[in-house]
Amino acid sequence: MEVTVRIKRYDPEKDGEPWWGEYKVEVDETDRVLDALHYIKWYQDGTLTFRRSCGHGICGSDAMRINGYNRLACKVLIRDVAPVITVEPLLGLPVIKDLVVDMEPFFAHYRAVMPWLINDEPPPPRERLQSPEERELFDDTTKCILCAACTTSCPAFWLRGEYVGPAAIVQAHRFIFDSRDRGAVQRLEILNAPDGVWRCRTIFNCTNACPREIEITKAIAEVKKALIFSRL
Amino acid sequence: MAYFQYDCIVVGAGGAGLMAALYASRSASTAVLSKLYPTRSHTGAAQGGIGAALGNVEEDHWEWHMYDTIKGSDYLGDQDAIEVLCREAIDVVIELEHMGLPFDRTPEGKIAQRNFGGHTRNYGEAPVKRACHAADRTGHMILQTLYQQCIKNHVTFFDEFQVLDLIVEDGVCKGCIAYEIATGEIHTFHAKAVMLATGGWGKCWSVTSNAFTLTGDGAAICLRNGIPLEDMEFYQFHPTGIYKLGILITEGVRGEGGVLRNNLGERFMERYAPTLKDLASRDVVSRAIYLEIREGRGIDGKEYVHLDATHLGREVIEKKLPEIADFVRTYLGLDPVTQPMPVQPTAHYAMGGIPTDVDARVIVDAQNTPVYGLYAAGEVACVSVHGANRLGTNSLVDLVVFGRRGGRHMAAFANEIDLQPIQDRDREKRVRDQLERLLSGTGKEKVATLRKEMQKIMMDNVSVFRTGEGLQEAVDKLRELKERYQHISVEDKGKQFNQDLMEAVELGNLLDIAEATALSALNRTESRGAHSREDYPERDDKNWLKHTLIRRQEDGSYCFDYKPVVITKFQPAERKY
Ligand SMILES: Cc1cc2nc3c(=O)[nH]c(=O)nc-3n(C[C@H](O)[C@H](O)[C@H](O)COP(=O)(O)OP(=O)(O)OC[C@H]3O[C@@H](n4cnc5c(N)ncnc54)[C@H](O)[C@@H]3O)c2cc1C
Ligand code: FES
C-alpha cells in the first residue's frame, strides 16, 4: 500500500527553521514505521536522520512522535497509523537534526537519582537471597529501556526541564523497592526536592507512552507513598 | 580535531566493553568510546540466559558445562580457554548478582535457572537447568546493571563516537582514531592499551537477529591493519527467528518445553536428535529445519516451520517469556498462548573473530605472538571458546568472563609501560581523506542497493548449507560489490550527525567481513559445527582439527594460516544428541 509520511525536518547547517518534508512510500501494512523511514532514507533522501539500532523495541533508540504520540518507530506497524503518518522529534529536548534530539538532559536526570545498587555490607560468598515475592515488587520498573518516551510526553516536564521526570522516578523505584538496596533514604530525599516527584500531576501521559507497558503512574504513586510514609 | 590521552581505551559499550571498562578503570585512567549510547548496545537484546553451573535447581558441575561446550563446539574450541570460561562463569554470575542484577529467583531465593540447548547433566545424559535468567530479558538486565556500575564508578564515556581506525605501529597498538558523530570531527585517542569490544556482524545477511548497527567494525579494522581473523567460516544461524523478520525467539521457549513442528504437525526433532530432541545444539536444529523445508514439509510449502508453545499455558508464557509474547503479538498479530509461531533460521552469532588468548590479548599467529597493547573481547573476539558452534547462554558468559580478564590485564599492562609516541603523524589525515573521498563521490552506486545484494548472496550461498560452487559464486559477487563500492555517492554532505556517511563506512566493513567469511568457508573442505559443506559432508579431524587464520596482505589479496586446537581433557568424539 502507498502511505504518505510527513516528517518534521531540520538541519542546523542548512535550515533556519524546521520544515515539513512529505514522502510517498510503498510499504506492507505489517511493516514497521521504522521500515518506512529506512525506505525514505535509503532510496529517496539520504539526508533524513534518525537514531535506531535493534529494530524490535529493546534498545530505546528510536522514540519519536508518531501521529502526535510518543512511540518507538520500530514498534508501530503501518496499518495502525496509515494512510498519513506524521513524524516529529520528541518534545522537550533540544533538536540536533531531524528526528535526533539531545539526550544529555534526560540522562542527567537519570544519573541524579543514583541508579545503581547501594549496599556496602560485605556480600555473602554466594548470591544475596531474595524471595520471588520481594523480586516481584520492582519487576515492572526493571523493564525500562531509557527511551525517554515517557519523560518527553509529560506536560510537567515540558513546562520545566529541571523536573526529574517519570523515567528517572522509574529508575529510582527499581532500587527503592529492591530488598537488597540500602539507598532508599537518599533517593527519597532527592525525589522530595522541588523538582522531584511532587511535580507529577498524575496526567498518565507517561504510562500511555511507555513502549514497555510499565505502569509508570503507579510506580510514581508508590514512590510518593513511600515518601509520605517515611516522613511519619 | 582533538587529541585525547588515556591509559586504556575500550571501544564498544556492550556487555564485554562495560565489564572491561569497569575493571580497567579501577587502576588506570580509562575511557569508553561507543558509536551508540551504551544502553543501546545489542547485549540488551539477549533474552534467554547466562550459563553457569551454580547447581541451584539441580546438581551441576563446571566440568559438565565444560564438556557440553566442547561437544557443542564440535571439538574445535580450545579446551584451556573453555575451562576458564566454565570455572569463572560461576563466580562472575555471583558478582553480577552482587552488582544488583535482578535475576529471577527460586522459592528459596536463589538465582533461578532453566534448560537450554546442548546443556546437559553428567556428560550428555539429559538436559540440565543451567541458564540463569531474568525472564527473557537477561541481556537487558546485564547491560543495565553494568552501565549502572560504570556510572557509579565514574567511568568516562565518549558516546556516539565511531572508531574508524587503530593506531598500530611495529606490533604495538598506541590508540585509535574516532569520528564524533555529533560534530563530524575526527579525533586521535592516544593510549597504552586499546580493547575492541564492538560486537558481531549479522548485517552481512538479510535475515538476522542482529541490530542495524552490528556491522563488524572492529574486526574489519583489524583485517585492514594486517591482523588476522580466526575461524570466520563458523557463523551461527539460530533456528528460531521470526519468519522473514529474523527477530529472535529465544531457545528459552524450547527450554520451557516448546517444540518444533512441520506441516504434518510432526515433532520432527525426534528424528534428528533422539535424546535431546528440540534442545539439541543450534547447528543441528537449524539444519533439521532446512532439511524439512527442502523436503516439502515447511508450513504451507513455505520456508518456515512452527514453534509450538501452546501447551505451556498462559502462566508460563506471560511470566517466563513475556518479551517473546510481546514480539509475536506486535509483529505477527499472533497469540503464542493459542497459536504456533512461524520461525526460520536467522543469522545470529559470530563464533570467529579477532584471535585472542585467555587474557583477551590479540594474537597474530600460531605461536600466540601478541600485538602489544591490543585487546579484544565479546562477540568480536575469538578466544576460542565456541569453536565451530556456540551453545546458547555461553556468549553472555564469554562477555563478562573475558571482559573482566581483559580489563584487569590491560590496566596492569598500562601501569607497567610508558606511553609510546605515535610515529606516523598522517594517520588522522588519511582517515579524513577517506571520508572526504566518500563525501565527494559522484558515482551512481547506492549504499542501500549494494548492501541488499551482499545480504542476499550471503543468505543464499553462505548460510546453513554450503557448497564449493555456491561459495565461489559468493566470493566473485562480493568482489564485484567491492569494486562497485568504489563508485558510491553519499547524499548527505553535512558535518553534524551524518549517518548517511557512517552507513557508507559500515558497508565497507561489512563487505570486508563478508569476503573473509566466504573465503574461509570455501577454504575449509569439511563439515563441522555451523559450517556444513554439502560437497564435504563429513568432519575431517585428520586434516581440519585446526583453527583458520585469514589475513589480508598489502596488495589486498588474502592468505591462510592455521593454529592447532588446544585439547586437554576431552578427545574428539562423534557428536550425537
Ligand atoms: C536477539 C539476541 C538474543 C541473544 N540471546 C542470548 C542469550 O540469551 N544468551 C547468550 O549468552 N547470548 C545471547 N545472544 C548473544 C549475545 O547477546 C551477544 O553475542 C553479545 O551481547 C555481544 O556483546 P558485545 O559486548 O560483544 O557487543 P554488543 O553488545 O553488540 O555491543 C557492541 C558495542 O560496540 C559499539 N561499537 C560497534 N562498532 C563501533 C565503532 N566502530 N566505534 C565505536 N563503537 C562501536 C556499539 O556502540 C556497542 O556499544 C543473543 C544475541 C541476540 C542478537
Ligand atoms: S530500534 Fe531499538 S527500540 Fe527501536
Side-chain angles (χ1 to χ4, degrees):
Chain A
M1 67 192 287
E2 192 190 75
V3 294
T4 304
V5 188
R6 297 179 66 240
I7 305 176
K8 195 171 190 178
R9 304 286 313 265
Y10 173 69
D11 180 344
E13 293 171 73
K14 285 196 295 218
D15 308 323
E17 287 291 315
W19 52 280
W20 287 94
E22 212 173 283
Y23 310 85
K24 298 226 180 295
V25 256
E26 228 358 85
V27 283
D28 285 339
E29 59 163 28
T30 53
D31 280 346
R32 302 161 275 200
V33 169
L34 181 64
D35 296 315
L37 294 177
H38 269 147
Y39 190 86
I40 296 165
K41 178 172 182 64
W42 292 341
Y43 301 105
Q44 297 184 3
D45 183 350
T47 65
L48 176 65
T49 304
F50 51 91
R51 290 192 182 99
R52 51 77 178 123
S53 183
C54 72
H56 63 277
I58 186 68
C59 76
S61 296
D62 59 344
M64 53 188 77
R65 266 165 82 85
I66 300 172
N67 286 356
Y69 295 99
N70 282 2
R71 295 283 183 264
L72 298 175
C74 65
K75 268 198 103 176
V76 181
L77 300 192
I78 297 289
R79 64 161 176 242
D80 297 323
V81 285
V84 180
I85 307 167
T86 305
V87 184
E88 304 159 78
L90 295 173
L91 292 178
L93 293 170
V95 175
I96 296 178
K97 183 172 169 181
D98 293 342
L99 302 169
V100 175
V101 295
D102 180 3
M103 295 289 286
E104 186 40 38
F106 173 81
F107 278 105
H109 289 316
Y110 162 75
R111 291 190 295 267
V113 300
M114 302 195 291
W116 55 79
L117 190 84
I118 297 176
N119 186 333
D120 294 334
E121 299 154 18
R126 293 286 291 203
E127 64 264 53
R128 291 191 169 97
L129 298 180
Q130 180 171 58
S131 71
E133 295 72 31
E134 288 169 329
R135 169 67 178 73
E136 184 64 26
L137 289 179
F138 65 102
D139 186 59
D140 203 31
T141 44
T142 62
K143 295 191 292 196
C144 174
I145 54 174
L146 299 167
C147 67
C150 59
T151 296
T152 60
S153 72
C154 173
F157 177 75
W158 296 337
L159 212 63
R160 210 180 137 73
E162 289 82 359
Y163 167 40
V164 292
I169 303 172
V170 161
Q171 289 294 329
H173 179 283
R174 178 251 169 274
F175 290 103
I176 292 170
F177 292 92
D178 185 335
S179 58
R180 302 168 297 173
D181 188 79
R182 302 287 174 267
V185 175
Q186 284 161 277
R187 287 195 195 89
L188 286 173
E189 224 163 83
I190 295 166
L191 292 176
N192 201 21
D195 284 313
V197 74
W198 304 111
R199 291 226 176 264
C200 164
R201 294 282 178 269
T202 326
I203 300 167
F204 278 94
N205 276 12
C206 53
T207 303
N208 293 331
C210 180
R212 308 280 292 161
E213 292 172 18
I214 300 172
E215 292 182 84
I216 303 178
T217 314
K218 184 171 158 221
I220 296 177
E222 287 174 358
V223 172
K224 286 179 177 169
K225 217 164 109 194
L227 263 172
I228 294 168
F229 188 71
S230 69
R231 260 200 237 142
L232 290 176
Chain B
M1 232 185 327
Y3 168 86
F4 297 91
Q5 192 182 307
Y6 289 91
D7 289 337
C8 302
I9 298 283
V10 176
V11 184
L18 293 179
M19 192 71 175
L22 209 47
Y23 269 85
S25 64
R26 287 184 186 165
S27 57
S29 74
T30 302
V32 181
L33 275 60
S34 174
K35 69 178 178 183
L36 303 172
Y37 267 98
T39 56
R40 314 296 182 220
S41 304
H42 212 54
T43 292
Q47 302 168 352
I50 174 165
L54 301 181
N56 279 357
V57 185
E58 54 187 337
E59 184 186 354
D60 200 4
H61 303 282
W62 67 260
E63 292 90 343
W64 295 355
H65 188 186
M66 179 177 174
Y67 168 80
D68 292 337
T69 303
I70 293 166
K71 180 175 170 191
S73 82
D74 218 347
Y75 296 91
L76 192 73
D78 289 324
Q79 299 190 6
D80 54 344
I82 294 174
E83 179 162 344
V84 169
L85 180 89
C86 299
R87 271 177 186 270
E88 294 189 13
I90 297 172
D91 152 73
V92 85
V93 166
I94 299 293
E95 182 179 356
L96 288 173
E97 196 283 331
H98 290 165
M99 287 177 181
L101 199 140
F103 283 109
D104 288 347
R105 300 289 170 156
T106 65
E108 309 83 59
K110 296 182 190 168
I111 295 171
Q113 298 186 276
R114 67 170 150 223
N115 290 331
F116 237 77
H119 290 280
T120 69
R121 53 170 286 111
N122 206 16
Y123 311 104
E125 248 173 45
V128 75
K129 292 188 167 44
R130 186 178 290 147
C132 311
H133 58 89
D136 50 356
R137 49 181 91 95
T138 315
H140 165 73
M141 302 297 197
I142 290 180
L143 187 66
Q144 296 285 330
T145 302
L146 291 175
Y147 186 57
Q148 292 157 3
Q149 290 295 310
C150 285
I151 305 247
K152 177 182 173 198
N153 291 295
H154 306 288
V155 173
T156 307
F157 283 95
F158 290 86
D159 296 333
E160 302 193 317
F161 276 56
Q162 189 148 343
V163 170
L164 301 181
D165 203 4
L166 281 174
I167 304 170
V168 184
E169 294 175 341
D170 306 323
V172 181
C173 180
K174 302 172 179 177
C176 62
I177 309 227
Y179 176 89
E180 183 177 358
I181 297 173
T183 63
E185 295 294 336
I186 292 169
H187 308 300
T188 295
F189 285 80
H190 192 179
K192 297 178 185 172
V194 176
M195 171 179 284
L196 295 172
T198 54
W201 43 87
K203 277 291 151 185
C204 285
W205 288 268
S206 51
V207 177
T208 176
S209 64
N210 281 197
F212 288 99
T213 46
L214 285 174
T215 50
D217 301 358
I221 289 170
C222 282
L223 206 55
R224 288 197 291 269
N225 276 284
I227 296 163
L229 298 180
E230 181 173 345
D231 292 342
M232 291 299 284
E233 59 273 40
F234 298 104
Y235 194 89
Q236 179 168 78
F237 277 71
H238 190 293
T240 56
I242 293 182
Y243 178 48
K244 282 188 180 162
L245 283 170
I247 296 172
L248 195 78
I249 299 196
T250 175
E251 204 165 283
V253 172
R254 282 171 286 140
E256 297 292 349
V259 296
L260 291 163
R261 296 188 192 283
N262 59 21
N263 68 341
L264 307 170
E266 181 201 9
R267 185 181 180 186
F268 58 86
M269 280 313 299
E270 286 177 336
R271 274 189 279 118
Y272 297 90
T275 311
L276 291 188
K277 303 187 179 76
D278 298 87
L279 287 175
S281 80
R282 290 178 179 169
D283 54 335
V284 175
V285 182
S286 284
R287 275 195 293 275
I289 294 175
Y290 258 70
L291 289 173
E292 289 298 302
I293 290 170
R294 196 180 281 180
E295 284 160 25
R297 290 192 291 275
I299 309 295
D300 296 336
K302 298 213 180 90
E303 299 201 332
Y304 68 90
V305 295
H306 274 147
L307 174 58
D308 184 0
T310 54
H311 52 291
L312 301 185
R314 184 171 298 278
E315 171 79 12
V316 169
I317 292 180
E318 305 291 354
K319 269 281 149 222
K320 296 192 166 164
L321 304 161
E323 299 285 326
I324 294 309
D326 180 47
F327 295 153
V328 175
R329 286 177 187 138
T330 305
Y331 298 111
L332 298 172
L334 292 176
D335 185 357
V337 176
T338 55
Q339 291 161 295
M341 301 167 256
V343 294
Q344 74 178 119
T346 182
H348 185 57
Y349 183 86
M351 270 75 71
I354 307 168
T356 70
D357 67 9
V358 292
D359 288 313
R361 287 191 298 179
V362 174
I363 52 172
V364 294
D365 55 26
Q367 289 72 47
N368 289 345
T369 311
V371 179
Y372 289 100
L374 185 59
Y375 295 75
E379 190 171 334
V380 73
C382 178
V383 186
S384 139
V385 288
H386 310 302
N389 173 63
R390 170 175 75 86
L391 291 190
T393 78
N394 268 358
S395 170
L396 292 175
V397 196
D398 174 0
L399 307 183
V400 283
V401 166
F402 294 105
R404 182 168 76 172
R405 291 178 75 98
R408 273 191 195 129
H409 198 283
M410 72 196 288
F413 173 81
N415 287 328
E416 266 170 26
I417 64 152
D418 294 326
L419 191 71
Q420 303 289 306
I422 299 172
Q423 312 289 347
D424 179 0
R425 297 256 151 232
D426 285 338
R427 281 210 172 238
E428 206 177 281
K429 182 171 175 305
R430 275 204 300 281
V431 171
R432 187 168 304 114
D433 290 347
Q434 271 162 20
L435 293 186
E436 280 306 323
R437 258 201 309 283
L438 284 172
L439 283 171
S440 58
T442 51
K444 286 216 170 53
E445 299 290 354
K446 266 188 172 304
V447 168
T449 313
L450 297 190
R451 187 171 50 213
K452 206 168 170 182
E453 288 183 31
M454 169 195 68
Q455 290 170 339
K456 180 166 182 345
I457 191 83
M458 291 296 283
M459 201 70 202
D460 289 346
N461 293 15
V462 198
S463 59
V464 173
F465 283 108
R466 300 152 175 198
T467 64
E469 207 181 324
L471 290 167
Q472 185 59 54
E473 193 192 349
V475 168
D476 296 342
K477 176 74 185 176
L478 290 166
R479 295 218 166 112
E480 173 211 311
L481 291 172
K482 285 181 82 164
E483 159 55 28
R484 285 164 60 195
Y485 180 75
Q486 302 305 317
H487 309 286
I488 55 170
S489 63
V490 170
E491 241 176 289
D492 194 336
K493 311 287 184 198
K495 281 189 80 74
Q496 298 181 20
F497 245 92
N498 189 340
Q499 282 178 329
D500 208 23
L501 177 61
M502 285 305 109
E503 276 195 32
V505 170
E506 289 169 346
L507 174 63
N509 293 336
L510 285 170
L511 285 168
D512 282 344
I513 295 294
E515 190 180 27
T517 303
L519 282 167
S520 300
L522 182 60
N523 183 56
R524 184 176 283 267
T525 49
E526 66 154 354
S527 290
R528 182 186 298 272
H531 175 65
S532 249
R533 286 281 299 256
E534 291 186 273
D535 41 356
Y536 297 92
E538 300 300 325
R539 192 174 88 190
D540 175 3
D541 285 343
K542 197 162 144 270
N543 294 303
W544 285 107
L545 187 60
K546 59 188 179 187
H547 300 287
T548 308
L549 294 175
I550 183 168
R551 187 193 309 268
R552 183 140 106 194
Q553 290 159 308
E554 296 266 332
D555 65 356
S557 66
Y558 289 85
C559 64
F560 287 102
D561 199 355
Y562 301 94
K563 204 163 90 84
V565 174
V566 180
I567 294 171
T568 56
K569 291 201 163 89
F570 299 97
Q571 287 306 313
E574 197 197 341
R575 194 159 155 259
K576 278 204 199 117
Y577 282 104

